[in-house]
């Protein structure tokens, strides 16, 4: 905190923050506790809280020295959580306000000048339907994210087979694949692949991964969904489900932030595709609850691969 602080030297020479010096002087002058908060920029930005408490220290001559006990608390994690919460509320409000404003505007138009125009009415009602669907999907994603976060500390203990879940998601997205003219290839083993998991959450996870590949990698014309098993970085066995597209890929600077809430590589494209900006954040939280991990690999113009990795279920003990 103060590398320049030396014994028997004036404290203010080393404690350069004006907030610290002011609080220290007030505590000395009044002999009362003082509190101060300040931002420390070195070596990295940290929010600190300082508590100064006057403490009488007996001397060998029967008197007492007035010493100042300075206690520093690193508030950075709390500040970051507060900033994340504020950003989340602001982003969620903005994402909801945009379609709501569109709905309100078109309702006013339909009640006014377009009231007797059948063509305009049909076009506006179509737009309103899309905006209402977008709002409903955003609310659904927010609720799903909230439910997963509430149960993040409780690991699922029910054994489920991944294969029918993946096939169900792929079948459900077949109309979207036809619409985007994308061929979906499924490469799965014949025997069941069991993990400890929550079936509904896993359905949501694979739906997000495959749907993203169909929407944002559609220009590649092909999506491959495959399942393999192998050793993780710590040597334990894991199941890896890979969803690969052959679209435009993702620039390297975006990869570390893809799982942040409301983060988008291309905001306009994401919204036009009906994206909420919460899909990959939801995937990450579901994997965290299942004690798994998400791997993202991409090279621009060569597509992207999203891999959901799960710990392999232990075989039941033989009796």
């Amino acid at each position: 905190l103060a590398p320049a602080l030396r014994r028997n030297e004036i404290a203010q020479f080393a404690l350069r923050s004006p907030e610290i010096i002011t609080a220290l002087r007030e505590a000395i002058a009044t002999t009362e506790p003082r509190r101060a908060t300040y931002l420390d920029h070195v070596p990295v930005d940290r929010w600190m809280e300082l508590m100064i408490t006057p403490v009488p220290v007996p001397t060998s001559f029967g008197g007492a020295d007035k010493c100042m006990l300075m206690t520093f608390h690193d508030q950075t994690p709390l500040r970051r959580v507060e900033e994340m919460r504020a950003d989340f509320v602001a982003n969620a409000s903005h994402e909801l306000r945009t379609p709501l404003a569109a709905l309100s505007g078109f309702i006013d138009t339909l009640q006014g000048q377009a009231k007797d125009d059948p063509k305009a009415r049909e076009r506006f009602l179509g737009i309103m339907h899309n905006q209402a669907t977008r709002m409903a999907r955003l609310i659904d994603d927010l609720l799903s994210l909230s439910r997963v976060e509430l149960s993040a500390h409780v690991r699922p203990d029910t054994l489920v087979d991944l294969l029918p879940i993946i096939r169900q998601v792929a079948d459900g997205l077949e109309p979207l694949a036809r619409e985007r003219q994308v061929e979906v290839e499924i490469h799965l083993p014949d025997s069941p692949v069991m993990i400890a998991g929550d079936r509904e959450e896993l359905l949501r996870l694979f739906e997000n991964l495959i749907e993203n590949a169909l929407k944002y990698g559609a220009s590649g014309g092909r999506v491959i969904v495959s399942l393999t098993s192998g050793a993780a970085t710590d040597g334990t066995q894991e199941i890896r489900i890979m969803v690969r597209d052959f679209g435009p890929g993702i620039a390297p600077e975006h990869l570390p932030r893809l799982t942040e809430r409301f983060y988008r590589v291309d905001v306009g494209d994401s919204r036009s595709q009906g994206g909420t900006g919460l899909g990959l954040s939801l995937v990450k939280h579901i994997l965290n609850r299942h004690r798994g991990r998400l791997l993202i690999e991409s090279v621009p113009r060569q597509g992207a691969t999203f891999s959901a990795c799960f710990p392999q279920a232990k075989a039941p003990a033989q009796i």
Side-chain angles (χ1 to χ4, degrees):
L1 289 176
L5 198 61
R6 298 288 181 270
R7 190 178 184 88
N8 296 323
E9 290 187 3
I10 301 298
Q12 68 187 48
F13 290 166
L15 303 173
R16 300 300 182 94
S17 171
E19 293 88 350
I20 297 178
I21 302 303
T22 300
L24 189 55
R25 284 176 175 167
E26 290 178 356
I28 292 171
T30 63
T31 66
E32 293 180 356
R34 283 291 184 270
R35 172 188 290 183
T37 58
Y38 65 96
L39 179 61
D40 189 5
H41 293 286
V42 180
V44 294
D45 285 356
R46 288 187 301 182
W47 282 100
M48 304 297 296
E49 180 184 50
L50 168 64
M51 300 293 295
I52 302 177
T53 308
V55 178
V57 179
T59 66
S60 56
F61 304 103
D65 283 339
K66 292 180 181 178
C67 294
M68 297 294 146
L69 175 63
M70 303 173 67
T71 309
F72 296 83
H73 300 271
D74 190 348
Q75 300 289 311
T76 308
L78 293 176
R79 287 277 185 157
R80 285 178 179 160
V81 168
E82 290 175 3
E83 289 174 358
M84 288 173 62
R85 185 183 296 114
D87 289 344
F88 175 73
V89 171
N91 284 325
S93 300
H94 174 75
E95 293 293 334
L96 286 169
R97 190 181 294 115
T98 302
L100 188 59
L103 284 170
S104 299
F106 284 121
I107 288 172
D108 291 341
T109 304
L110 288 172
Q111 288 176 334
Q113 59 192 28
K115 181 169 56 177
D116 300 320
D117 187 340
K119 290 184 178 179
R121 185 166 62 243
E122 185 177 349
R123 184 166 66 88
F124 291 162
L125 286 173
I127 297 173
M128 291 169 65
H129 175 74
N130 291 336
Q131 294 297 329
T133 301
R134 173 183 164 192
M135 196 185 310
R137 180 161 186 173
L138 176 59
I139 293 171
D140 191 30
D141 280 352
L142 287 170
L143 292 174
S144 296
L145 195 55
S146 177
R147 283 193 296 267
V148 174
E149 286 183 326
L150 285 173
S151 57
H153 62 288
V154 181
R155 184 176 181 178
D157 55 5
T158 304
L159 287 179
V160 294
D161 184 1
L162 286 175
L163 304 189
I165 293 176
I166 296 172
R167 290 195 180 99
Q168 179 180 339
V169 171
D171 291 343
L173 291 172
E174 189 176 341
L176 178 62
R178 284 199 304 268
E179 178 188 328
R180 301 301 169 96
Q181 298 181 339
V182 177
E183 180 184 352
V184 180
E185 300 178 17
I186 308 290
H187 301 297
L188 301 176
D190 296 327
S191 55
V193 178
M194 310 299 293
I195 68 165
D198 182 305
R199 190 175 188 280
E200 292 303 316
E201 290 183 3
L202 293 173
L203 281 168
R204 198 66 186 269
L205 182 152
F206 294 123
E207 182 181 77
N208 273 296
L209 290 182
I210 299 175
E211 186 176 16
N212 279 355
L214 292 173
K215 287 181 176 179
Y216 305 111
S219 59
R222 187 162 59 114
V223 168
I224 299 176
V225 181
S226 59
L227 187 150
T228 61
S229 61
T233 52
D234 60 359
T236 59
Q237 291 296 307
E238 68 178 8
I239 304 297
R240 183 176 296 183
I241 299 90
M242 293 177 287
V243 179
R244 182 183 181 189
D245 68 67
F246 296 85
I250 304 165
E253 62 268 22
H254 295 296
L255 295 179
R257 301 190 60 190
L258 285 180
T259 57
E260 293 181 16
R261 297 173 183 180
F262 297 110
Y263 185 81
R264 296 176 169 99
V265 175
D266 186 325
V267 176
D269 183 42
S270 174
R271 286 179 177 161
S272 68
Q273 301 280 9
T276 63
L278 293 172
L280 288 178
S281 179
L282 186 56
V283 166
K284 179 185 175 182
H285 279 79
I286 292 173
L287 281 168
N288 287 344
R289 185 181 175 224
H290 286 73
R291 307 303 185 261
R293 58 198 183 107
L294 177 65
L295 302 179
I296 305 174
E297 304 165 277
S298 181
V299 177
R301 296 182 297 280
Q302 295 183 29
T305 302
F306 291 79
S307 302
C309 307
F310 298 90
Q312 194 161 12
K314 295 179 181 179
Q318 298 294 326
I319 300 177

